[in-house]
Amino acid sequence: MKQLASLLILLAFTLTAAAQQTQKPVLHGKNWMAITGKPLAATAGAMTFQKGGNAVDAACAMLAATCTMWDVLSWGGETQALIYNPETKKVIAINAMGVAPTGATPKFFKSKGYNFPPENGPLAATTPGTAGGLLHMLANYGKLSLEQVLAPAMEMAAGYPIEAQTANSIERGKDMIKQWPYSKKVFLTHPGEKREAPEAGEIFVQKDLLQTLTKLVEAEKEALRKGKTRKEAIMAAYDRFYTGDIAEEFVRGSKEQGGLITMQDLKNWKPLEEEPLKVTYKGVDVYKLQQWTQGPALLQALNILENFDLKSMGYNSTKYIHTIYQAMNLSFADRDFYYGDSYVAPQEPMQGLLSKAYAKQRASLIRMDKNDPTIGPGDPYPFEGKKNPYLKLLKKRGFEMDTTKRNFAPAHDIRNGSAQAESEYQDRLWRGTTTIEAADKDGWVVSITPSGGWLPATIAGNTGIGMSQRMQSFVLDDTINPFNVVAPGKRPRVTLTPSMALKDGKPYLSFAVQGGDTQEQNLLQFFLNVVEFGMNVQQASEAANINTNQLWLSLGGSKTEDRKPKPGHVLLHDSTPNTVREELKKMGYTLSFDDRTSGPINAIYFDWKHNSFWGGSSNHGEDYGIGW
């Protein structure tokens, strides 16, 4: 009878996955697809396609629009992108993450009483990266002029009907906004009234930002009048932003409010093109950004999970949830200690971390009968022919090497000991931004996860530009992560992580999600929903996921205890059957529940049989897509 019951449960899980009903329809298109976090911004992408732009042009237009709409980001934030170039048939990685400014050192922050760099304010700001990333992508891979691409964003800056989510976020953060004079001027349109923020539907005007965007277009036009090429003209706008009058006002406004960013910091920073990291899972090549993001954690998890027959376990069965949870814990333990800026010493051991042999060793640690709260970083160095130089540091942190398992297990309790409210912890775990997905019939594909300068934002002078808050993702203590200690000119290890997959050498999936430390968790499960369980992109984007809290938080929390792991804590969907709940409890899990567990995933699937696109846009939030 027990075997029959198990078979029936497995069959139910399989049928549930295959027949998944969705709240939003799949998007279909044969010419192009534009998906992002706001309906108006998706419209900006559609308008750009209709002007004759390619997917890069449309993605840049959506990025400009989402920044202007404060979709949990601003022009002073950071941009991370993957682009498939059909001419070279290669995936390109764009690193437009800002860096720590002059004077940003552990000593500086500790002298001010910080355990981590602050969450908000001028001292939270890295140099702006989004403007440079957008201009670089457009100049090198787009077709249209900057004026054409910025037109929707400029029209919005001149005044657009603000939506309730942003308007209410301004109202909630108004006490903090009042600390910063330029933010107060822009956001609090009804000063002294009971509600000082704009109302939903009110025409929200940003004169300073419109002036800044106008200056960029003026720089392009002037360069064209002088006989410069399209690319040179767009880069003239870049120069005005990073070395001209826009930069001068940005730096002045930052310094006036206590920030560290200098003109030299802006001049020294450049967006970078990189080789993305890649693993192959069951014939699908999966691409992520390098280890200055958490992207490789998904690749590590896929390598680990390749050692298990996930499909036979059944979608979201007890065994499946447990296996996914354990694989994520193993990869996040490595993320938390070994990931950092690849352009600054020491060099991260990525060859070992992404090797199949290392993954097999890590997979062998998974106990199928219960959660393991003692999982720590592994030792990837032998898998690239080296000796781990951090053994003493790991011991200092409280880890002891289990020589039989090659796992660093904690010698004492590393659990979160903070008294912070569960809702506050979850907010930091989920803290989101937006995503952008675009594709066209000529083969260009773009996946972007931009962020930074979210509300309540510190606006730098009269630029209308909100400053990044990404400094908080650095650490000040090398025992937490020796690769991610703050230093001038260094990038923090961020959570932001677009994704792309190719099959048989052609685009297969382009996907991304917002949500802090849950991004790789939700993207991993989305990918498996499609590859293992045959869901379409809309089903996979809405499907119930799990979230693990057995990791160090990357955002928020001024105390070290606030960021510590919560071993065994798992978020499940409200629909999880009682049998699964009880089985997980017996395996040592602490359960919490929500009706939204998959994050706002946006994705495009490439249907080569019919030469068309399938678009998926999550039902969690305001994310929206348009196809043609």
Side-chain angles (χ1 to χ4, degrees):
M1 288 296 292
K2 283 186 177 180
Q3 287 181 330
L4 178 59
S6 298
L7 183 62
L8 290 173
I9 290 171
L10 175 59
L11 179 61
F13 277 121
T14 304
L15 290 173
T16 300
Q20 179 89 12
Q21 298 297 307
T22 60
Q23 294 179 9
K24 292 167 73 172
V26 177
L27 297 168
H28 290 286
K30 71 173 184 177
N31 295 299
W32 50 260
M33 191 70 65
I35 310 173
T36 190
K38 298 280 188 182
L40 281 179
T43 302
M47 292 165 63
T48 306
F49 274 125
Q50 289 173 336
K51 292 175 186 175
N54 67 11
V56 178
D57 296 308
C60 288
M62 288 190 279
L63 177 57
T66 54
C67 287
T68 303
M69 297 179 73
W70 299 90
D71 188 15
V72 205
L73 79 163
S74 170
W75 282 90
E78 48 272 351
T79 285
Q80 295 67 223
L82 293 171
I83 300 174
Y84 177 77
N85 183 340
E87 296 169 3
T88 62
K89 303 192 184 307
K90 299 285 187 183
V91 177
I92 309 155
I94 304 295
N95 176 342
M97 178 65 232
V99 298
T102 300
T105 64
K107 183 178 179 181
F108 171 81
F109 288 112
K110 287 178 180 179
S111 73
K112 293 185 172 294
Y114 292 114
N115 292 313
F116 296 90
E119 295 179 59
N120 295 293
L123 291 180
T126 55
T127 56
T130 287
L134 186 155
L135 293 166
H136 177 88
M137 288 188 289
L138 182 63
N140 288 280
Y141 302 108
K143 293 168 59 180
L144 302 182
S145 68
L146 179 62
E147 182 179 20
Q148 289 174 300
V149 167
L150 290 189
M154 293 176 72
E155 188 173 345
M156 287 179 174
Y160 76 96
I162 194 168
E163 72 287 2
Q165 182 178 0
T166 301
N168 292 338
S169 181
I170 293 171
E171 180 67 14
R172 286 193 301 271
K174 66 181 180 181
D175 290 341
M176 193 174 293
I177 287 170
K178 288 176 182 178
Q179 300 175 44
W180 308 310
Y182 303 100
S183 301
K184 180 180 177 181
K185 179 181 74 168
V186 172
F187 294 125
L188 302 184
T189 57
H190 306 288
E193 298 181 17
K194 183 178 180 181
R195 180 186 175 95
E196 297 182 271
E199 298 176 356
E202 179 179 327
I203 304 302
F204 180 52
V205 178
Q206 301 170 76
K207 292 181 181 178
D208 289 344
L209 179 59
L210 178 58
Q211 183 181 44
T212 295
L213 300 181
T214 300
K215 287 179 178 179
L216 295 178
V217 172
E218 286 175 351
E220 178 190 45
K221 287 182 175 179
E222 179 62 23
L224 289 172
R225 279 195 294 269
K226 292 179 178 179
K228 300 293 185 182
T229 65
R230 172 189 171 276
K231 179 177 178 179
E232 289 170 337
I234 293 172
M235 295 314 290
Y238 176 99
D239 290 339
R240 189 168 187 180
F241 189 98
Y242 285 94
T243 62
D245 56 345
I246 298 172
E248 289 169 356
E249 178 58 19
F250 184 95
V251 169
R252 186 202 66 78
S254 169
K255 285 186 173 180
E256 178 190 333
Q257 297 173 96
L260 298 174
I261 296 172
T262 68
M263 286 293 291
Q264 196 63 40
D265 290 329
L266 295 185
K267 183 179 180 180
N268 290 345
W269 181 86
K270 293 286 187 295
L272 301 169
E273 287 196 14
E274 302 175 338
E275 282 288 326
L277 297 175
K278 180 190 80 170
V279 301
T280 302
Y281 180 86
K282 297 189 175 180
V284 179
D285 295 327
V286 185
Y287 294 83
K288 301 293 288 188
L289 294 166
Q290 292 186 14
Q291 62 270 22
W292 56 273
T293 74
Q294 66 171 332
L298 181 144
L299 304 182
Q300 284 192 247
L302 286 175
N303 278 347
I304 292 168
L305 292 169
E306 213 169 26
N307 293 280
F308 299 89
D309 185 357
L310 298 177
K311 189 172 183 179
S312 71
M313 296 178 185
Y315 166 71
N316 278 358
S317 66
T318 303
K319 191 173 182 181
Y320 179 78
I321 289 171
H322 174 71
T323 306
I324 295 292
Y325 189 97
Q326 298 304 308
M328 292 194 299
N329 292 349
L330 289 160
S331 59
F332 277 115
D334 284 339
R335 178 205 75 165
D336 292 341
F337 188 77
Y338 290 116
Y339 290 14
D341 188 353
S342 54
Y343 297 91
V344 179
Q347 188 62 45
E348 299 80 6
M350 299 313 297
Q351 180 185 342
L353 287 169
L354 293 180
S355 71
K356 297 288 188 181
Y358 177 69
K360 190 169 185 177
Q361 182 200 78
R362 294 292 270 169
S364 70
L365 298 177
I366 295 178
R367 292 188 55 170
M368 298 310 294
D369 60 333
K370 66 177 183 179
N371 178 56
D372 186 350
T374 69
I375 285 297
D379 187 1
Y381 284 93
F383 294 88
E384 50 186 55
K386 300 174 184 175
K387 184 177 180 181
N388 195 325
Y390 296 104
L391 299 179
K392 290 183 179 178
L393 189 62
L394 283 158
K395 190 169 185 178
K396 182 180 177 183
R397 179 174 160 182
F399 283 95
E400 298 286 352
M401 168 59 85
D402 182 334
T403 54
T404 60
K405 297 181 179 180
R406 303 299 298 176
N407 176 63
F408 292 97
H412 52 74
D413 195 348
I414 62 162
R415 288 175 295 180
N416 184 307
S418 172
Q420 66 178 330
E422 183 66 24
S423 60
E424 184 180 355
Y425 178 90
Q426 288 298 142
D427 172 67
R428 288 174 175 147
L429 182 73
W430 290 341
R431 197 164 288 179
T433 174
T434 195
T435 61
I436 296 164
E437 300 294 325
D440 64 44
K441 64 181 180 181
D442 293 326
W444 289 95
V445 187
V446 186
S447 180
I448 310 177
T449 309
S451 190
W454 55 71
L455 296 168
T458 306
I459 289 179
N462 295 305
T463 62
I465 295 172
M467 300 170 70
S468 169
Q469 300 96 340
R470 195 56 60 172
M471 289 278 283
Q472 64 185 292
S473 292
F474 279 115
V475 300
L476 306 181
D477 182 355
D478 64 357
T479 63
I480 298 175
N481 182 340
F483 301 93
N484 191 36
V485 179
V486 67
K490 187 175 182 178
R491 295 161 188 80
R493 196 279 298 151
V494 298
T495 56
L496 306 159
T497 173
S499 313
M500 201 170 287
L502 272 59
K503 190 174 183 179
D504 300 323
K506 296 188 291 187
Y508 174 65
L509 284 171
S510 183
F511 54 112
V513 69
Q514 58 161 291
D517 290 300
T518 66
Q519 288 181 41
E520 294 307 352
Q521 303 184 41
N522 289 322
L523 293 176
L524 172 69
Q525 292 168 84
F526 166 87
F527 178 81
L528 294 173
N529 288 343
V530 175
V531 174
E532 294 286 0
F533 297 108
M535 296 186 196
N536 68 43
V537 283
Q538 188 61 38
Q539 291 171 333
S541 70
E542 291 188 23
N545 286 348
I546 68 162
N547 287 170
T548 173
N549 295 355
Q550 196 164 315
L551 47 75
W552 280 80
L553 291 184
S554 303
L555 299 167
S558 58
K559 300 176 182 177
T560 303
E561 289 74 17
D562 293 342
R563 298 204 185 193
K564 281 186 174 181
K566 290 188 171 186
H569 282 242
V570 59
L571 176 71
L572 301 170
H573 194 270
D574 287 341
S575 63
T576 305
N578 286 331
T579 51
V580 174
R581 299 182 186 204
E582 292 305 314
E583 288 169 349
L584 289 171
K585 286 178 185 177
K586 291 176 182 177
M587 298 170 78
Y589 288 102
T590 300
L591 313 183
S592 58
F593 301 91
D594 201 283
D595 66 340
R596 295 174 183 264
T597 60
S598 62
I601 296 169
N602 290 321
I604 300 172
Y605 167 76
F606 299 86
D607 183 348
W608 293 103
K609 179 180 178 182
H610 303 103
N611 288 319
S612 64
F613 308 112
W614 293 52
S617 184
S618 171
N619 59 332
H620 293 179
E622 298 177 300
D623 296 73
Y624 200 84
I626 303 174
W628 186 250

